[in-house]
Amino acid sequence: MNVMVLGGGGREHAICRGLRLSPEVEKLFCVPGNPGIAQIAECVTLPSCGLAAVADFAAEKKVGLVVVGPELPLCEGVADVVRARGIPVFGPSKAGARLEGSKDFSKQFMMKYHIPTAKYASFTDCAKALEYVKSEYAAGRGVVVKADGLAAGKGVIVAASEAEAAEAVRSCFSGTFGAAGNVVVLEELLHGEEASILALTDGKSILPLVSSQDHKRLLDDDKGPNTGGMGAYSPAPVVTEALMNEITETVLKRFLKGIQAEKLDYRGIIYAGIMVTKEGPRVLEFNVRFGDPETEAILPRLESSLFDVLMKTAECRVSEIGMRWSDHPSVCVVMASEGYPGEGKKGFEITGIEEAEASGVIVFHAGTSMKDGKLVNSGGRVLVVSASGADVVAAAAKAYEGVARIRWEGVHFRRDIAHRAIRRK
Ligand code: AMP
Ligand code: GLY
């Protein structure tokens, strides 16, 4: 069968790799893809970025499954448009994607279906929001400020003080995040260790993947600003069997009940960002797609066909999916441009990828492009180096051996990915 993947980052590279390893897949297209993906799939830039163009291309190439990587096209309704042409899609409908596209909607959903989450309030008025910040701090609680809409991962400010929270509120309402900040969600600051729980659902059943943990902060020891994610590992030992059972009961099953009751057409991944607090797991956010970089740690552990998993989800046959996972943990390290998460310095030649791969790691491309026949960095997150090992210590050591072989001017990466799991050992 011919398959088409939408997106062009490290996550999509990992998805394309999994599909390439699936015996059922004949032609593999990726729109737009990247130079790494181009080694295993046909990368296509569509002349128009409209949703109809995606459906037209899929129909013309006799694509039997479209897999959507990022949240933006899902929130725009690409799954609905392609499905209307009779082509199966892995990814929720526009209505389902609101669970990521609007934090206010997502919080209302969690409240309605008793999914454990932080206390919150939503505001469209700056003065009222500032009053709420004041009263929360007076009551001894911290506040996290979230722009309601999609803001490319930048719309969440974990304030370190009341003044910082107030500043973030003002900044949201003054248009820093555009229309995404017209509604501001103020949430109680929770403490604990985070984990990412991804599950497949078709609206009839829900099936978790292996657990993982991201590293959101830019610098070692979880210092510096929040980023899209600087590295990940799987499994996350903080997710014990007992905790996973609790998450299944209080988050995943209630999520399923909620999408059924709301009649949301949801065939794809639900990603629950969890804070493991002293009082139990709390959902920080829902994402409606695979996590990045979690996917680059999770999918290399999948031993069965990724195509089978994605196709059965798209066809509402999740109950028939049987996944086999490697017991070996995996660790992936993000290599970023100097300046990330701000405007990074770009256009420098990247060397050493082949040597790294020869050492046994997988190098996923996230923000690379070709310039005058040379591979250069062209995004904030540039490469994701993934490795597995007999235990998490071995996996991390191997990933960093790969990282050490790769160079470009200004490259930045964290040196402590998987530190929590390693410290537990
Ligand atoms: P989100 O996009 O909502 O996951 O937020 C990005 C990051 O901000 C999360 O991964 C957390 O590290 C942090 N965060 C979000 N909400 C909270 C909260 N209520 N308490 C503490 N940290 C939070
Ligand atoms: N790794 C966080 C995300 O994908 O949103």
Side-chain angles (χ1 to χ4, degrees), residues 11 71 100 153 196 213-216 227-232 271 285 287 289-295 381:
R11 163 184 51 209
E71 61 277 16
E100 177 166 0
S196 304
Q213 187 176 69
D214 189 7
H215 299 62
K216 303 266 183 186
T227 69
M230 293 303 294
Y271 162 139
E285 63 164 346
N287 292 323
R289 35 102 193 145
F290 279 104
D292 197 350
E294 288 93 329
T295 304
R381 292 189 289 182

Side-chain angles (χ1 to χ4, degrees), residues 120-350:
Y120 86 108
S122 297
F123 296 89
T124 50
D125 180 85
C126 187
K128 289 205 175 109
L130 290 172
E131 237 167 69
Y132 182 84
V133 168
K134 208 168 176 183
S135 65
E136 283 297 289
Y137 276 89
R141 285 185 289 266
V143 168
V144 178
V145 181
K146 300 186 174 187
D148 173 60
L150 292 182
K154 291 181 183 140
V156 174
I157 302 107
V158 182
S161 65
E162 183 178 342
E164 229 179 275
E167 184 46 43
V169 166
R170 279 188 211 99
S171 153
C172 270
F173 280 115
S174 70
T176 303
F177 305 112
N182 289 351
V183 177
V184 173
V185 173
L186 300 181
E187 207 177 273
E188 178 182 1
L189 177 73
L190 299 176
H191 300 281
E193 188 172 339
E194 285 180 54
S196 304
I197 299 297
L198 281 65
L200 299 158
T201 185
D202 53 9
K204 295 193 290 188
S205 47
I206 192 156
L207 180 65
L209 309 183
V210 288
S211 66
S212 61
Q213 187 176 69
D214 189 7
H215 299 62
K216 303 266 183 186
R217 301 292 188 124
L218 180 68
L219 306 173
D220 289 5
D221 297 325
D222 298 312
K223 302 227 162 68
N226 259 331
T227 69
M230 293 303 294
Y233 62 96
S234 170
V238 65
V239 185
T240 58
E241 204 182 316
L243 180 65
M244 192 58 218
N245 289 338
E246 189 177 348
I247 292 169
T248 302
E249 291 304 318
T250 63
V251 178
L252 300 184
K253 287 190 181 169
R254 293 177 193 176
F255 175 84
L256 182 62
K257 220 174 135 189
I259 57 172
Q260 288 169 346
E262 301 292 322
K263 296 193 169 39
L264 296 174
D265 179 358
Y266 204 109
R267 303 173 227 178
I269 282 280
I270 178 67
Y271 162 139
I274 303 270
M275 181 76 88
V276 184
T277 72
K278 286 199 192 93
E279 288 77 39
R282 299 283 181 271
V283 176
L284 296 178
E285 63 164 346
F286 281 131
N287 292 323
V288 299
R289 35 102 193 145
F290 279 104
D292 197 350
E294 288 93 329
T295 304
E296 293 95 304
I298 291 174
L299 288 188
R301 293 184 59 205
L302 182 68
E303 289 176 338
S304 47
S305 158
L306 177 64
F307 170 82
D308 183 70
V309 169
L310 304 180
M311 190 68 195
K312 281 182 176 154
T313 305
E315 292 181 331
C316 292
R317 293 160 62 205
V318 167
S319 63
E320 296 170 36
I321 295 174
M323 287 179 284
R324 273 182 292 108
W325 297 101
S326 163
D327 288 336
H328 282 194
S330 62
V331 172
C332 70
V333 179
V334 171
M335 302 181 75
S337 297
E338 183 180 353
Y340 177 73
E343 227 1 83
K345 290 193 183 168
K346 293 166 192 163
F348 298 110
E349 184 180 2
I350 302 168

Side-chain angles (χ1 to χ4, degrees), residues 6-38:
L6 289 190
R11 163 184 51 209
E12 288 77 21
H13 194 175
I15 292 170
C16 283
R17 177 181 176 272
L19 287 168
R20 194 69 282 167
L21 294 172
S22 305
E24 303 92 334
V25 176
E26 291 165 75
K27 277 196 182 142
L28 181 59
F29 300 99
C30 190
V31 178
N34 66 39
I37 295 173

